[in-house]
Amino acid sequence: MRIYIPSGEIGLRRPGWLLADNCSDKALALKPDIVCDMRDLPFKKNELEEIYCCHGIEHLLKKEVLPCLKQFREKLRPGGRLRLAVPDFERIVQFWNESRAEEAVMFHLFGRQENEGQIHFMCYTSAGLSTLMRKTGFKRVGRWEPLKESFQPRDNALHWVPSRNGSGKIFTSLNIEGWK
């Protein structure tokens, strides 16, 4: 079994995946299959093959992140994969240095903030998030590139802003995976 957290405004519906979100709000693009908090997934130990948490853990308080990652690992079966997508602090800073686009940068750092569920409490670097994943027991931790996947998610893992120096796009999502 594979789960996608949170189903949110974009969501990802594909065979073999369950959508999980802590909100069953009718405004969501896709209704979740499971209404739950990512900090307390209703699965047994070693039950899940894969967890894909796309732009979710930045909504947790700093003190909640390690316990949440530990719980993700616990729910994964041996050899299971965790994929995370979060705002990429380094690339957002790059965008700031090129553009000085304050509103766009603040959106990426702190979220939309139209309600309590849209506030970012954290932002991550590749080194920092990789360290957290290793601390919770994940192995073979590294970046994954959505554009190189056979199934390309159409979600925030592909979020980008235009480069102001003409070099194209700055992808603002940090995509990290690790294995149990």
Side-chain angles (χ1 to χ4, degrees):
M1 184 179 335
R2 295 177 167 141
I3 63 166
Y4 176 88
I5 310 167
S7 62
E9 297 166 356
I10 297 172
L12 172 71
R13 178 79 66 196
R14 66 185 201 191
W17 288 79
L18 295 175
L19 301 178
D21 203 304
N22 67 347
C23 177
S24 59
D25 189 311
K26 61 185 173 195
L28 295 177
L30 293 173
K31 300 291 181 239
D33 299 303
I34 301 164
V35 177
C36 65
D37 188 311
M38 76 177 98
R39 295 166 291 191
D40 187 24
L41 296 177
F43 299 99
K44 297 175 187 166
K45 289 182 181 181
N46 303 313
E47 186 174 3
L48 299 173
E49 182 179 340
E50 186 169 355
I51 298 172
Y52 174 33
C53 184
C54 184
H55 287 260
I57 66 167
E58 68 272 17
H59 297 272
L60 300 178
L61 297 173
K62 184 176 182 179
K63 68 181 182 178
E64 298 172 320
V65 175
L66 275 175
C68 184
L69 293 176
K70 286 178 185 176
Q71 181 230 183
F72 286 170
R73 187 176 182 283
E74 180 180 274
K75 304 294 180 175
L76 287 168
R77 65 175 66 154
R81 176 169 58 184
L82 171 65
R83 280 191 161 171
L84 299 172
V86 297
D88 187 325
F89 182 73
E90 292 163 309
R91 291 181 179 170
I92 295 167
V93 168
Q94 176 188 351
F95 176 59
W96 169 253
N97 287 334
E98 288 185 16
S99 70
R100 296 296 193 235
E102 184 173 339
E103 189 172 327
V105 168
M106 294 302 172
F107 165 79
H108 288 288
L109 289 175
F110 303 113
R112 186 173 292 128
Q113 298 198 13
E114 292 173 357
N115 61 55
E116 289 182 16
Q118 296 176 336
I119 297 171
H120 295 177
F121 292 103
M122 295 294 298
C123 199
Y124 297 92
T125 64
S126 180
L129 186 54
S130 295
T131 297
L132 289 175
M133 289 183 69
R134 285 186 193 98
K135 274 186 181 179
T136 56
F138 285 96
K139 309 292 183 208
R140 299 186 347 245
V141 174
R143 284 187 181 256
W144 65 276
E145 297 297 333
L147 292 173
K148 295 181 180 177
E149 296 294 312
S150 58
F151 173 85
Q152 294 179 8
R154 290 180 173 85
D155 60 22
N156 287 331
L158 291 170
H159 201 272
W160 60 273
V161 292
S163 173
R164 302 291 175 156
N165 67 11
S167 64
K169 300 175 180 178
I170 299 172
F171 286 90
T172 57
S173 182
L174 171 61
N175 305 311
I176 301 283
E177 68 183 356
W179 303 81
K180 180 173 178 179

